Amino acid sequence: MSFRKVVRQSKFRHVFGQPVKNDQCYEDIRVSRVTWDSTFCAVNPKFLAVIVEASGGGAFLVLPLSKTGRIDKAYPTVCGHTGPVLDIDWCPHNDEVIASGSEDCTVMVWQIPENGLVSPLTEPVVVLEGHTKRVGIVTWHPTARNVLLSAGCDNVVLIWNVGTAEELYRLDSLHPDLIYNVSWNHNGSLFCSACKDKSVRIIDPRRGTLVAEREKAHEGARPMRAIFLADGKVFTTGFSRMSERQLALWDPANLEEPMALQELDSSNGALLPFYDPDTNVVYVCGKGDSSIRYFEITDESPYIHFLNTFTSKEPQRGMGSMPKRGLEVSKCEIARFYKLHERKCEPIVMTVPRKSDLFQDDLYPDTAGPEAALEAEEWVSGRDADPILISLREAYVPSKHRDLKVSRRNVLSDSRPAVAPGSTRPGASTPAASNTTAPSSSLTGAGEAGKLEEVMQELRALRALVKEQGERIGRLEEQLGRMENGDA
């Protein structure tokens, strides 16, 4: 008698979510109440950014990840916008640069000091003005340095070269109604968008053309979202005609019918999808929900496989997702979310239970690193490149970023991570130009020498402690031996 295999085999079947302890949360944050379906939160391996309530303008809070506990009301914010901030996004190629879009119709790009803010930041590195209505979406190009996309309530998508503060492309005739969200594909050659007219569009930004379009991807009137997956497929969330929440998977080569369509429930909060290209897992968080559902996307029917649900008591106002290079690989952590409550931010850790303490190759394939694969000019000329991958085996160590220097030509010229000695990259500066950075590099060397001395002192202290403990263990063993022999 043979038993049919009922349960689908997957290493992510037992992924479980766990909120951190209270002392590791960020308390007393007044999360923005603006009515906009943005995540309100952005996170990278160094900083957590949260859009907050601000009187007389717009502001967001930037906290070093280590600054947990209660946040003082007087803690400095980034507050240069004259209207509420609607969306924020960290630059994938520089962990100290963040872009923000606001109701004041501008996009601003900010340089955050290496150790966080000590005073309010009111002067952006660059202001990008081109929208005529509020800017609700900002998202960086995944592989080209300094390329930023913004979309506003004027139904216009603008693509900027932040380094020169110039508008590269203006796409003003492709969306007849409000744009809900925009998502780049794996190498940044295309992007997809979800629009209020219920259409999902795939667009080539450099040609300004529509590659594919699906009308009425979800028939409900409520907001929907579309994201590109690593293999080029498109994952969407939306509502049915009966206002039930739906997930769908589409093949851009044939958008007539979805590859898969699932109905979830009849709640009314917009579903925010977060995608991990390394594991092919999509995490779906509903605004106002108190749960995170996660699904594995595979090549086998039914393509979208439900894994599990993380549930908690408090509803979420927004959510941020940590890039893979910021996770703790030693704890088999495959995702970390930063859940916004009304007055706090709570990290939630997603873990695959494993008994071994060794590095888990199958959970951590090489992932996108902080080095840009292309310069903005190369991307504009028509080149495409996949993200430059890094291994997480040695655990990610943030690269040292130099401060941005404002100049008319290239305001972000110094935003590149350090490059190994002897190596070159496209568009590398000439020796004459590199001499200008000598004073700052000598300061960096002095700082590193100081750090090395600290590490050596700590090592000496640890050696002394180990020696002392070894002697104590020897004395205790001797005492135990005497007791067993009846001497004591």
Side-chain angles (χ1 to χ4, degrees), residues 19-39:
V20 300
K21 292 175 181 168
N22 268 342
D23 61 348
Q24 292 173 287
C25 294
Y26 305 84
E27 302 274 357
D28 219 12
I29 296 173
R30 295 171 300 152
V31 178
S32 174
R33 295 175 179 275
V34 70
T35 51
W36 186 253
D37 282 321
S38 147
T39 58

Side-chain angles (χ1 to χ4, degrees), residues 261-483:
L261 180 68
Q262 288 189 18
E263 293 197 340
L264 289 186
D265 55 31
S266 53
S267 294
N268 58 8
L271 289 169
L272 308 175
F274 294 89
Y275 173 60
D276 179 2
D278 303 333
T279 58
N280 250 3
V281 174
V282 174
Y283 302 85
V284 178
C285 318
K287 271 213 158 181
D289 288 10
S290 51
S291 63
I292 302 172
R293 296 178 177 89
Y294 32 109
F295 303 82
E296 188 175 3
I297 313 292
T298 67
D299 296 328
E300 313 160 10
S301 181
Y303 306 111
I304 303 174
H305 303 273
F306 174 73
L307 290 173
N308 211 333
T309 304
F310 164 80
T311 53
S312 57
K313 292 175 185 172
E314 297 288 323
Q316 54 230 14
R317 296 279 303 279
M319 192 74 74
S321 173
M322 174 67 79
K324 210 58 174 287
R325 57 195 173 92
L327 302 180
E328 289 195 45
V329 295
S330 57
K331 295 181 180 174
C332 294
E333 186 181 345
I334 61 161
R336 191 189 313 151
F337 293 98
Y338 287 74
K339 173 181 169 180
L340 298 185
H341 298 239
E342 203 162 319
R343 300 282 299 188
K344 78 169 180 178
C345 177
E346 175 186 42
I348 293 163
V349 176
M350 298 286 179
T351 309
V352 177
R354 292 279 168 99
K355 289 179 179 173
S356 170
D357 287 337
L358 300 174
F359 179 76
Q360 307 292 319
D361 293 271
D362 59 330
L363 298 184
Y364 301 107
D366 288 357
T367 192
E371 180 67 71
L374 295 171
E375 297 301 320
E377 293 76 17
E378 292 175 299
W379 181 74
V380 170
S381 70
R383 277 189 61 190
D384 290 319
D386 286 343
I388 295 174
L389 304 181
I390 57 169
S391 169
L392 296 178
R393 180 175 287 276
E394 300 303 321
Y396 169 72
V397 178
S399 56
K400 186 91 175 166
H401 297 292
R402 298 200 297 274
D403 282 352
L404 306 190
K405 292 185 177 66
V406 180
S407 69
R408 281 185 185 173
R409 174 69 195 119
N410 196 339
V411 289
L412 293 183
S413 59
D414 284 339
S415 64
R416 307 170 187 189
V419 176
S423 68
T424 59
R425 61 161 164 264
S429 59
T430 61
S434 63
N435 287 342
T436 58
T437 60
S440 63
S441 60
S442 63
L443 286 172
T444 306
E448 283 174 359
K451 282 182 184 173
L452 186 64
E453 183 55 36
E454 277 179 38
V455 171
M456 292 302 292
Q457 282 179 2
E458 202 171 324
L459 195 61
R460 284 194 286 271
L462 282 170
R463 278 184 180 153
L465 185 64
V466 168
K467 188 180 176 186
E468 186 185 324
Q469 294 295 336
E471 288 170 359
R472 183 163 178 259
I473 289 166
R475 288 198 300 274
L476 289 168
E477 282 176 343
E478 195 179 316
Q479 197 175 336
L480 185 64
R482 286 205 303 273
M483 285 173 75

Side-chain angles (χ1 to χ4, degrees), residues 64-382:
L65 288 186
S66 57
K67 187 165 177 56
T68 53
R70 186 179 169 280
I71 308 302
D72 195 301
K73 281 181 182 166
Y75 194 86
T77 58
V78 180
C79 50
H81 284 287
T82 56
V85 178
L86 300 179
D87 196 20
I88 48 177
D89 193 32
W90 286 106
C91 176
H93 309 126
N94 186 339
D95 287 341
E96 292 160 17
V97 170
I98 187 168
S100 59
S102 163
E103 280 194 12
D104 64 12
C105 308
T106 65
V107 175
M108 294 184 179
V109 179
W110 310 84
Q111 166 86 41
I112 306 299
E114 188 180 349
N115 298 316
L117 298 176
V118 290
S119 61
L121 187 58
T122 55
E123 288 299 317
V125 177
V126 64
V127 181
L128 305 172
E129 295 176 309
H131 289 283
T132 56
K133 290 188 179 176
R134 59 184 183 164
V135 183
I137 298 165
V138 287
T139 178
W140 292 90
H141 192 283
T143 61
R145 192 188 317 281
N146 295 343
V147 175
L148 178 69
L149 179 150
S150 65
C153 294
D154 49 7
N155 311 335
V156 174
V157 174
L158 294 179
I159 294 170
W160 308 87
N161 180 348
V162 176
T164 56
E166 63 185 322
E167 187 182 294
L168 297 175
Y169 303 102
R170 172 178 285 263
L171 310 173
D172 54 8
S173 59
L174 296 174
H175 297 92
D177 213 331
L178 181 68
I179 303 163
Y180 285 136
N181 92 301
V182 172
S183 169
W184 291 100
N185 69 351
H186 188 57
N187 65 1
S189 58
L190 305 170
F191 68 81
C192 67
S193 66
C195 182
K196 196 174 181 179
D197 68 352
K198 302 180 187 176
S199 289
V200 168
R201 294 174 174 82
I202 297 173
I203 293 165
D204 183 333
R206 288 171 292 196
R207 290 195 177 92
T209 55
L210 198 60
V211 176
E213 180 179 8
R214 164 66 193 188
E215 295 177 1
K216 292 194 175 177
H218 296 276
E219 296 196 348
R222 293 176 183 275
M224 56 191 233
R225 299 240 157 185
I227 56 169
F228 260 117
L229 304 185
D231 60 1
K233 294 187 180 70
V234 175
F235 180 88
T236 61
T237 65
F239 291 81
S240 70
R241 193 180 293 155
M242 305 299 291
S243 288
E244 290 179 306
R245 298 199 289 193
Q246 295 178 321
L247 312 173
L249 187 66
W250 307 84
D251 183 352
N254 176 21
L255 291 176
E256 289 301 311
E257 287 295 321
M259 294 173 64
L261 180 68
Q262 288 189 18
E263 293 197 340
L264 289 186
D265 55 31
S266 53
S267 294
N268 58 8
L271 289 169
L272 308 175
F274 294 89
Y275 173 60
D276 179 2
D278 303 333
T279 58
N280 250 3
V281 174
V282 174
Y283 302 85
V284 178
C285 318
K287 271 213 158 181
D289 288 10
S290 51
S291 63
I292 302 172
R293 296 178 177 89
Y294 32 109
F295 303 82
E296 188 175 3
I297 313 292
T298 67
D299 296 328
E300 313 160 10
S301 181
Y303 306 111
I304 303 174
H305 303 273
F306 174 73
L307 290 173
N308 211 333
T309 304
F310 164 80
T311 53
S312 57
K313 292 175 185 172
E314 297 288 323
Q316 54 230 14
R317 296 279 303 279
M319 192 74 74
S321 173
M322 174 67 79
K324 210 58 174 287
R325 57 195 173 92
L327 302 180
E328 289 195 45
V329 295
S330 57
K331 295 181 180 174
C332 294
E333 186 181 345
I334 61 161
R336 191 189 313 151
F337 293 98
Y338 287 74
K339 173 181 169 180
L340 298 185
H341 298 239
E342 203 162 319
R343 300 282 299 188
K344 78 169 180 178
C345 177
E346 175 186 42
I348 293 163
V349 176
M350 298 286 179
T351 309
V352 177
R354 292 279 168 99
K355 289 179 179 173
S356 170
D357 287 337
L358 300 174
F359 179 76
Q360 307 292 319
D361 293 271
D362 59 330
L363 298 184
Y364 301 107
D366 288 357
T367 192
E371 180 67 71
L374 295 171
E375 297 301 320
E377 293 76 17
E378 292 175 299
W379 181 74
V380 170
S381 70

